[in-house]
């Protein structure tokens, strides 16, 4: 039976020494994400529902759980937004945690009151096939604080398993109003026009990274780099395709 805890380590003469730890928490569950901000800590565990635990770490010898939030699904990455909010990316699930019910989910948690964390807003995307590299690699998660804008690579299939699509999802984040979809910078036509349209269950040229600079959003995929004005993501400004890794005719 699994158990989870938070330990506090201190450097003493070049060595790390345990100064304190919490009692075991969330038996039978597994830690999926953690974030520490000064003397506060946040941990998400999962088995069927998502407990978000908040911690008071102000006394290193006595770290303690302060609050707990249980909601369906889980967050695999947490990112601070100011001093009182967290962005989370992960999965939405039904009350039983069934895999077939999963959807890609972005959450905005209000943690201003550590004793009462709240999932203030959530945005659910696509069907069960939708996924984002940001769910397991923080380098794919791109939050632009000065614009309160979040960019996430998203990939998945439509009703037909040959109908693969890939793009960069851009959301405005407001702690008072939640998430607003600004648009999606698609790469689907890049694959078709430049000879990398032969995607399949074993090859998908996914969008993996993004950059936001000035008025522009750049999406980087296995098929190339594309840039669009943040005010009109549906009309790319320029595209630089890479040499196809898997040509249309299937040859190598």
């Amino acid at each position: 039976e699994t158990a989870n805890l938070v330990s506090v380590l201190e450097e003493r003469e070049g060595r790390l020494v345990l100064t304190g730890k919490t009692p075991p928490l969330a038996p039978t569950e597994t830690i999926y994400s953690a974030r520490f901000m000064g003397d506060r800590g946040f941990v998400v565990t999962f088995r069927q529902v998502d407990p978000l635990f908040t911690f008071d770490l102000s006394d290193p010898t006595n770290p303690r759980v302060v609050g707990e939030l249980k909601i369906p699904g889980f967050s695999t990455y947490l990112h601070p937004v100011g001093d009182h909010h967290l962005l989370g990316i992960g999965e939405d699930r039904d009350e039983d945690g069934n895999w077939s019910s999963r959807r890609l989910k972005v959450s905005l948690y209000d943690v201003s009151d550590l004793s009462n964390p709240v999932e203030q807003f959530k945005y659910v995307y696509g069907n069960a096939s939708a996924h984002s590299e940001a769910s397991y690699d923080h380098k794919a998660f791109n939050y632009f604080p000065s614009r309160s804008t979040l960019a996430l690579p998203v990939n998945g299939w439509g009703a037909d398993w040959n109908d693969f699509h890939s793009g960069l999802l851009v959301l405005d984040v407001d702690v008072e109003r939640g998430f607003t979809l600004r648009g999606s910078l698609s790469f689907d036509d890049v694959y078709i026009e430049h000879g990398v349209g032969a995607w399949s269950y074993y090859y998908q040229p996914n969008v993996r990274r993004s950059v936001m600079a000035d008025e522009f959003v750049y999406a980087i995929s296995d098929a190339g780099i594309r840039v669009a004005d943040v005010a009109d993501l549906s009309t790319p400004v320029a595209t630089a395709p890479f040499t196809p890794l898997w040509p249309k005719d299937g040859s190598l």
Side-chain angles (χ1 to χ4, degrees), residues 8-219:
V8 179
L9 304 175
E10 181 182 6
E11 182 184 358
R12 295 179 185 171
E13 298 180 350
R15 301 180 63 187
L16 290 175
V17 178
L18 180 69
T19 62
K21 62 182 180 180
T22 66
L25 56 95
T28 76
E29 296 180 5
T30 303
I31 291 177
Y32 271 55
S33 59
R35 171 66 69 170
F36 301 98
M37 300 162 58
D39 59 4
R40 298 175 298 161
F42 308 92
V43 169
V44 171
T45 65
F46 177 74
R47 186 179 182 187
Q48 288 185 326
V49 295
D50 168 3
L52 168 68
F53 293 95
T54 63
F55 295 84
D56 181 351
L57 307 176
S58 57
D59 180 356
T61 65
N62 184 34
R64 60 189 183 88
V65 176
V66 179
E68 177 182 348
L69 168 67
K70 286 195 173 185
I71 52 176
F74 55 88
S75 295
T76 55
Y77 176 70
L78 298 172
H79 190 89
V81 176
D83 295 329
H84 304 300
H85 292 83
L86 290 171
L87 273 174
I89 182 171
E91 293 183 9
D92 194 40
R93 297 279 185 102
D94 63 19
E95 294 291 340
D96 296 322
N98 292 317
W99 186 90
S100 60
S101 69
R102 70 191 184 104
R103 298 291 186 275
L104 184 66
K105 181 177 75 164
V106 184
S107 299
L108 183 65
Y109 299 103
D110 183 343
V111 293
S112 54
D113 180 358
L114 282 184
S115 65
N116 184 35
V118 176
E119 185 184 44
Q120 194 171 1
F121 301 101
K122 71 176 183 178
Y123 181 87
V124 179
Y125 174 84
N127 57 26
S129 75
H131 61 283
S132 173
E133 192 162 330
S135 297
Y136 54 87
D137 187 339
H138 69 277
K139 294 177 182 178
F141 188 100
N142 190 0
Y143 180 65
F144 204 49
S146 63
R147 293 176 179 265
S148 299
T149 302
L150 172 65
L152 298 171
V154 291
N155 310 287
W157 288 263
D160 184 342
W161 281 96
N162 290 319
D163 180 24
F164 175 76
H165 59 86
S166 183
L168 185 72
L169 189 70
V170 181
L171 300 168
D172 289 332
V173 182
D174 188 288
V175 297
E176 300 294 333
R177 296 187 294 271
F179 299 104
T180 302
L181 176 64
R182 182 173 284 272
S184 178
L185 184 53
S186 173
F187 262 81
D188 294 353
D189 63 300
V190 178
Y191 309 145
I192 296 171
E193 291 177 9
H194 298 283
V196 282
W199 56 80
S200 66
Y201 67 91
Y202 55 84
Y203 175 66
Q204 303 92 36
N206 297 338
V207 173
R208 299 190 179 278
R209 298 290 187 270
S210 65
V211 175
M212 287 185 276
D214 297 326
E215 303 297 325
F216 299 100
V217 177
Y218 298 78

